[in-house]
């Protein structure tokens, strides 16, 4: 299971980040990621003997089977 920032969204917004830094904004003041993805590998979970609740599977952005 993995929960992290959506890299495609970060890449799309990277030009805006660079522009703001070049205009004088401190890099630490640039906003944090706003879109996150939940990915669940159901095959690995079964191999480890873990049961993933159906409600968690329904909320996942991607389920690897």
């Amino acid at each position: 299971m993995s929960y992290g920032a959506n890299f495609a969204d970060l890449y799309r917004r990277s030009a805006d980040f660079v522009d703001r830094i070049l205009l004088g904004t401190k890099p630490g003041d640039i906003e944090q990621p706003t879109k996150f993805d939940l990915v669940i590998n159901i095959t690995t979970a079964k191999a480890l003997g873990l049961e993933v609740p159906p409600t968690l599977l329904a909320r996942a952005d991607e389920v690897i089977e």
Side-chain angles (χ1 to χ4, degrees):
M1 183 164 47
S2 171
Y3 184 71
N6 180 308
F7 288 109
D9 185 52
L10 289 177
Y11 293 142
R12 252 184 260 114
R13 297 173 42 217
S14 64
D16 182 47
F17 295 157
V18 171
D19 181 51
R20 289 173 59 188
I21 291 170
L22 292 176
L23 292 175
T25 304
K26 293 180 184 176
D29 294 338
I30 300 294
E31 61 194 65
Q32 297 298 314
T34 56
K35 187 173 181 185
F36 295 86
D37 288 335
L38 174 63
V39 179
I40 299 173
N41 188 329
I42 197 73
T43 305
T44 302
K46 286 180 182 177
L48 293 172
L50 302 173
E51 280 194 44
V52 181
T55 53
L56 186 59
L57 288 173
R59 297 192 88 162
D61 296 298
E62 183 180 353
V63 177
I64 300 171
E65 295 187 37

